[in-house]
Amino acid sequence: MRHRFGRGAALGLALLLALTGCGVSFEPEASALYVTKEGTVTGAEIESFDNSSFTEARYDETELKEFVEEAVISYNKEACGQEYAYADDTEETLSVSVEKLEVADAVATLYLNYATCEDYLAFNETDETVTELSVQTAADAVAAGVSLDGLVDADGAAVDTSKMQESTKYYVVTIAGETDLMVDGKIAAVSEGVTVTDKHTVTVSGGETVYIVFK
C-alpha cells in the first residue's frame, strides 16, 4: 500500500456529510480518490490480502493495522504536532486520519482522510500513482494561470467554459497520474482523454496534468 501501506471532529463530520450528501456515495470497488470543494481528500486503497498461495503468510491484519497507524501517527507528529491516527481520539485537527481499515474475504480495504491535497501528496510521496492534485474555484484556477479552454463533456463534445472561468461556483481539480476520481458535485467539463464514468466520477490515466470542472 501507499505510505505506502482528520482532522478533528469537525473534519470528520464534514467528510461524513460530503461522502453521503448531494447524492454522492463514495464506496469504490477498487482503489480511488474522493475530493471535496473544500480541498479535503479521501483515499481508498482496496487490495488483495490473499496469503493462500504462500507457504508462510506475508503479514496479518494486526500487522497491517499497526503499520498503517504508525505511518499516520508519524506523519501527523511532523505535520501537525498530533500523535494520533484517528480523528475521534483528539479534538485537534489531524492532517491524516484513518477512516476505515478492515480485511474481509481476502481483501484489505483502507480509507484515509486527508485535510488537504498537499497532505495527500506528502503522505504518499513515494507513490507515483498520483503526482499532482489540487482543488480551487474556477476563478482562482484561471487567475493562477490554468487554461480551461479545450475542455469537453462526457461525450467528448466541446464545452464553452467562458462563464465557468469567472465563477466561484465551479471548482477545478488539477490532477496528474492514474486513478479513479470522484468529486462532491456534478462534473461539467474535463480535459480530453479523461474518461467520465458517471456524473460524479472520472478515470484519469496517462500521467499528464488534466482538469476536471465540477459544480
Side-chain angles (χ1 to χ4, degrees):
M1 292 196 174
R2 292 186 179 174
H3 187 46
R4 178 139 160 128
F5 189 156
R7 308 184 77 162
L11 174 63
L13 177 59
L15 283 168
L16 177 62
L17 293 174
L19 292 176
T20 58
C22 302
V24 179
S25 178
F26 183 59
E27 298 178 349
E29 297 181 358
S31 297
L33 293 180
Y34 176 84
V35 298
T36 71
K37 296 169 184 176
E38 293 74 25
T40 61
V41 181
T42 297
E45 291 285 341
I46 302 173
E47 299 184 7
S48 171
F49 203 77
D50 187 2
N51 286 316
S52 61
S53 61
F54 296 85
T55 55
E56 294 184 4
R58 295 165 295 166
Y59 42 72
D60 59 24
E61 183 175 357
T62 299
E63 291 173 327
L64 175 63
K65 184 172 182 289
E66 291 175 351
F67 174 79
V68 170
E69 290 176 348
E70 288 176 2
V72 171
I73 290 171
S74 175
Y75 180 85
N76 283 333
K77 182 179 180 181
E78 187 170 330
C80 61
Q82 297 293 311
E83 297 185 52
Y84 299 98
Y86 298 89
D88 289 343
D89 291 339
T90 175
E91 295 182 356
E92 301 297 326
T93 296
L94 294 182
S95 297
V96 182
S97 61
V98 180
E99 175 73 19
K100 177 181 180 180
L101 175 56
E102 66 178 23
V103 177
D105 299 323
V107 175
T109 300
L110 170 65
Y111 282 34
L112 292 180
N113 295 330
Y114 302 87
T116 66
C117 294
E118 291 80 4
D119 286 313
Y120 170 81
L121 293 171
F123 186 82
N124 297 287
E125 64 180 350
T126 60
D127 175 29
E128 297 183 355
T129 302
V130 174
T131 58
E132 184 178 0
L133 182 65
S134 66
V135 183
Q136 56 192 323
T137 67
D140 286 343
V142 171
V146 172
S147 173
L148 299 182
D149 296 332
L151 300 191
V152 299
D153 63 16
D155 297 320
V159 174
D160 181 358
T161 62
S162 56
K163 292 184 179 180
M164 297 178 191
Q165 294 186 36
E166 301 175 358
S167 176
T168 57
K169 294 183 178 180
Y170 285 89
Y171 292 80
V172 179
V173 178
T174 301
I175 185 170
E178 299 188 3
T179 187
D180 289 335
L181 173 73
M182 177 177 280
V183 298
D184 71 331
K186 186 176 180 180
I187 294 170
V190 299
S191 295
E192 289 190 14
V194 174
T195 302
V196 180
T197 54
D198 61 45
K199 62 183 179 181
H200 305 294
T201 312
V202 300
T203 297
V204 178
S205 61
E208 300 294 328
T209 299
V210 294
Y211 305 105
I212 297 95
V213 179
F214 68 99
K215 182 179 181 182

